[in-house]
């Protein structure tokens, strides 16, 4: 099990200890293997083992089954670009949610059946629509112009494409959205276009910002009522797709999460973060203290969270679960982050130790900040630290920050101050754990013409280069 004695201690000044998987601990306990991955593939390197994906999806499917609900899991392809993700989802019998033509094509080339794919791309080119139609994938329609494009293709090809309608909630308590149309707007658009017989409208789709179970229940109630009306209008609706946003935890310890934000609130000297950054903090006592920082610890996640959604009230003394199963509907979801929980880590090598002109110690990593970053203001998980035999002489203990390769003052890898209890050495390797969902790829850039990081996946016990790097 975890043998952290072989890793060197680096923690946040206010620690945030990352949750790890057994495979990560085994790798981190072998500094020479870690160093070998970096020397073979360069720094940083993204390391993936997709074994936890099926288990994470199963947790959702089982939670739904307990409530008598059939759940279809369509893994959000955009959360990690490795082709290994597609293979693992396919082999686990899961579907895929694709956001571009390239994502769709790769899935089809890897023998994912079209019927196991939903196309949710926010902008849909004609070639994407043609390929989706040819493959028999469900297309989630966002707006009236897209409806027109699809109807035109349907006419040309003389076939009725499979579609879902993306629902924008009209509930005044939810945040307005740019995605989808309200049910009323869809009803009008469908009537105008005269879609009867020309489209197979099979489902109602939505995807919400944030991670609130109550918000999902609200829109599911709205979707259920709309399904009834669509069915009365002759459409053979078989599913409601509630999108992604299934929450996960990066940290096991709620106390560490709360302590960080309480300390940050009292940190008048700005000693906890880079130049006193407040990280968007609004309410230090809340589970999500900052609206711009992902809730790295949260109370209910995955299966338990889905149970909450399904047990929410609906109809007259009924529940969402009962209303779904009584209509013979399948519930679908498109989790990205939460099914990639435990699937990845990112390794980067130390190139320098120094101090800023005003004396703030910094450690330079051979990576840039887009390589361990999502839309969250910061990645709030402490790195693990590996010191291979090839590392140089470590510095004395100190507190400081990790910086990267882009030529801007604000090029911080993490915005929290870290304590290097055993110093830092050239050739040390920082390991960012649990970066499989979004943290590797969603914002990565090759600015300054620095190449993108290599993607390495575990296949039959071996680390091999993922095929996506050859396609890029
Ligand atoms: C991004 C996205 C998802 C995945 O969201 P997660 O938060 O990773 O679960 C699913 N569906 C759609 C339409 C998306 O845009």
């Amino acid at each position: 099990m975890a043998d952290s004695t072989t890793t060197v201690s680096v923690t946040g000044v206010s620690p945030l200890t990352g949750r790890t998987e057994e495979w990560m601990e085994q790798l981190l306990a072998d500094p020479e293997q870690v160093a070998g991955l970096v020397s073979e593939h360069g720094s940083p390197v993204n390391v993936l083992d997709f074994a936890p994906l099926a288990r994470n999806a199963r947790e959702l499917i089982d939670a739904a089954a307990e409530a008598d609900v059939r759940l279809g899991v369509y893994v959000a392809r955009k959360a990690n670009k490795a082709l290994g993700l597609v293979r693992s989802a396919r082999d686990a019998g899961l579907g895929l949610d694709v956001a571009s033509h390239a994502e769709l094509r790769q899935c089809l080339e890897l023998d994912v059946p079209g019927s196991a794919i939903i196309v949710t791309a926010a902008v849909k080119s004609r070639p994407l629509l043609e390929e989706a139609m040819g493959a028999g994938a469900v297309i989630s329609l966002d707006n009236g112009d897209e409806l027109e494009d699809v109807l035109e293709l349907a006419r040309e090809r003389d076939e009725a494409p499979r579609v879902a309608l993306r629902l924008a909630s009209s509930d005044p308590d939810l945040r307005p959205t740019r995605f989808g149309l309200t049910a009323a707007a869809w009803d009008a658009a469908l009537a105008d276009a005269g879609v009867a017989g020309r489209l197979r409208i099979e489902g109602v789709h939505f995807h919400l910002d944030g991670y609130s179970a109550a918000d999902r229940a609200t829109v599911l109630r709205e979707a259920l009522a709309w399904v009834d009306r669509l069915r009365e209008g002759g459409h053979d609706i078989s599913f409601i797709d509630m999108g992604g946003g299934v929450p996960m935890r990066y940290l096991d310890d709620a106390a560490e999460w709360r302590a960080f934000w309480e300390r940050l609130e009292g940190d008048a000297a700005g000693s906890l973060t880079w130049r006193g950054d407040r990280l968007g903090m609004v309410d230090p006592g809340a589970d999500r203290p900052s609206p711009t920082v992902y809730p790295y610890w949260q109370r209910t996640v995955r299966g338990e969270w889905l149970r909450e959604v399904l047990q929410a009230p609906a109809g007259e003394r009924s529940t969402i679960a009962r209303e779904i199963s009584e209509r013979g509907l399948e519930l679908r979801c498109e989790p990205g982050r939460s099914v990639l929980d435990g699937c990845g880590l990112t390794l980067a090598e130390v190139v320098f130790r120094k101090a800023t002109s005003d004396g703030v110690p910094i450690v330079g990593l051979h990576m840039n900040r887009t390589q361990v970053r999502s839309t969250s203001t910061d990645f709030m998980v402490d790195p693990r630290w590996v010191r291979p035999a090839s590392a140089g002489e470590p510095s004395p203990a100190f507190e400081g920050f990790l910086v990267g390769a882009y030529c801007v003052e604000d090029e911080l890898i993490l915005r929290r101050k870290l304590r290097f209890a055993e110093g830092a050495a050239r050739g040390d390797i920082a390991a960012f754990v649990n970066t499989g969902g979004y943290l590797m790829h969603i914002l990565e850039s090759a600015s300054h013409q620095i190449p993108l990081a290599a993607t390495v996946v575990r296949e039959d016990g071996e680390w091999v280069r993922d095929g996506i790097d050859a396609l890029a």
Side-chain angles (χ1 to χ4, degrees):
M1 203 20 240
D3 182 5
S4 43
T5 56
T6 59
T7 57
V8 169
S9 168
V10 174
T11 66
V13 165
S14 186
L16 295 174
T17 310
R19 214 185 60 66
T20 56
E21 292 279 332
E22 183 64 31
W23 73 266
M24 297 177 183
E25 293 299 340
Q26 280 171 5
L27 176 59
L28 295 173
D30 184 350
E32 301 320 309
Q33 195 186 356
V34 169
L37 283 167
V38 172
S39 66
E40 185 178 350
H41 301 286
S43 174
V45 55
N46 291 314
V47 182
L48 291 153
D49 182 336
F50 286 107
L53 179 86
R55 178 199 68 202
N56 293 334
R58 175 54 51 190
E59 186 183 327
L60 292 169
I61 292 166
D62 288 349
E66 277 169 32
D68 261 335
V69 169
R70 214 162 16 105
L71 183 74
V73 174
Y74 290 70
V75 178
R77 174 79 184 93
K78 70 167 193 262
N80 189 290
K81 72 182 183 185
L83 298 180
L85 165 66
V86 178
R87 285 199 194 90
S88 298
R90 177 199 66 195
D91 293 348
L94 307 172
L96 283 128
D97 155 29
V98 300
S100 71
H101 191 197
E103 287 188 1
L104 172 62
R105 215 177 322 115
Q106 290 158 12
C107 289
L108 295 172
E109 278 164 10
L110 289 169
D111 298 323
V112 175
S115 58
I117 297 174
I118 180 159
V119 178
T120 64
V123 173
K124 301 181 185 73
S125 67
R126 195 180 159 94
L128 165 61
L129 291 173
E130 283 177 351
E131 183 127 27
M133 236 179 255
V138 170
I139 300 165
S140 169
L141 292 179
D142 179 80
N143 59 69
D145 286 338
E146 228 169 66
L147 172 65
E148 225 174 77
D149 285 349
V150 167
L151 284 171
E152 189 181 308
L153 272 175
R155 211 172 304 119
E156 283 171 23
R157 301 166 64 104
D158 195 27
E159 56 185 82
R162 307 175 62 200
V163 304
L165 303 176
R166 187 150 173 176
L167 172 64
S169 173
S170 29
D171 193 295
D173 292 335
L174 296 187
R175 274 213 290 176
T177 174
R178 63 165 274 217
F179 293 107
L181 297 176
T182 61
W186 271 124
D187 290 341
L190 296 176
D192 282 354
V195 298
R198 298 158 66 203
L199 281 186
R200 285 188 283 164
I201 302 177
E202 298 185 5
V204 167
H205 174 226
F206 64 89
H207 168 74
L208 306 180
D209 251 14
Y211 311 95
S212 154
D215 287 356
R216 266 79 188 170
T218 297
V219 186
L220 281 167
R221 281 188 284 267
E222 205 176 331
L224 283 162
W226 190 31
V227 165
D228 292 345
R229 293 206 306 281
L230 286 165
R231 282 179 165 176
E232 280 161 22
H235 299 291
D236 193 11
I237 309 293
S238 61
F239 70 86
I240 297 177
D241 183 334
M242 61 185 283
V246 177
M248 65 167 274
R249 258 181 231 126
Y250 291 82
L251 313 170
D252 279 331
D253 190 348
E256 281 190 349
W257 179 244
R258 297 203 177 101
F260 173 84
W261 293 99
E262 277 157 24
R263 286 190 187 122
L264 185 62
E265 190 190 27
D267 183 29
S271 61
L272 212 51
T273 54
W274 178 251
R275 308 280 181 214
D277 192 334
R278 308 302 286 166
L279 303 176
M281 178 174 58
V282 170
D283 178 1
D287 284 357
R288 190 175 192 183
S290 159
T292 62
V293 171
Y294 185 82
Y296 285 84
W297 180 87
Q298 45 196 328
R299 196 181 312 276
T300 24
V301 299
R302 251 187 330 260
E304 198 189 344
W305 175 90
L306 184 59
R307 266 179 227 114
E308 237 175 60
V309 173
L310 292 173
Q311 283 159 7
E316 284 195 25
R317 275 171 292 148
S318 182
T319 60
I320 299 273
R322 175 124 50 98
E323 295 300 305
I324 290 172
S325 67
E326 276 179 4
R327 284 169 176 77
L329 290 165
E330 179 187 20
L331 179 64
R332 295 185 182 177
C333 62
E334 302 159 349
R337 189 192 294 272
S338 60
V339 288
L340 286 164
D341 184 7
C343 291
L345 55 79
T346 302
L347 304 173
E349 191 175 9
V350 171
V351 279
F352 62 75
R353 296 88 30 101
K354 62 178 281 193
T356 61
S357 61
D358 60 342
V360 180
I362 53 176
V363 174
L365 291 181
H366 211 302
M367 73 183 296
N368 69 66
R369 73 180 188 283
T370 71
Q371 292 175 315
V372 59
R373 197 165 178 76
S374 66
T375 53
S376 174
T377 296
D378 202 23
F379 181 48
M380 305 286 283
V381 179
D382 292 347
R384 298 285 293 271
W385 207 261
V386 177
R387 182 161 291 160
S390 56
E393 195 56 37
S395 68
F398 68 99
E399 292 180 357
F401 295 90
L402 298 177
V403 299
Y406 284 175
C407 300
V408 287
E409 289 289 355
D410 222 28
E411 172 69 354
L412 273 296
I413 304 298
L414 302 179
R415 305 188 74 79
R416 290 178 304 119
K417 190 191 278 179
L418 304 176
R419 179 170 292 143
F420 297 81
E422 295 162 64
R426 299 190 70 184
D428 278 355
I429 294 166
F432 301 96
V433 294
N434 220 351
T435 51
Y438 297 111
L439 275 304
M440 294 176 175
H441 297 144
I442 198 76
L443 292 176
E444 70 171 348
S445 62
S447 189
H448 309 14
Q449 304 193 47
I450 301 171
L452 297 179
T455 306
V456 172
V457 288
R458 170 116 75 186
E459 262 177 40
D460 304 323
E462 300 287 314
W463 297 116
V464 300
R465 191 77 182 258
D466 187 84
I468 195 69
D469 292 344
L471 294 177

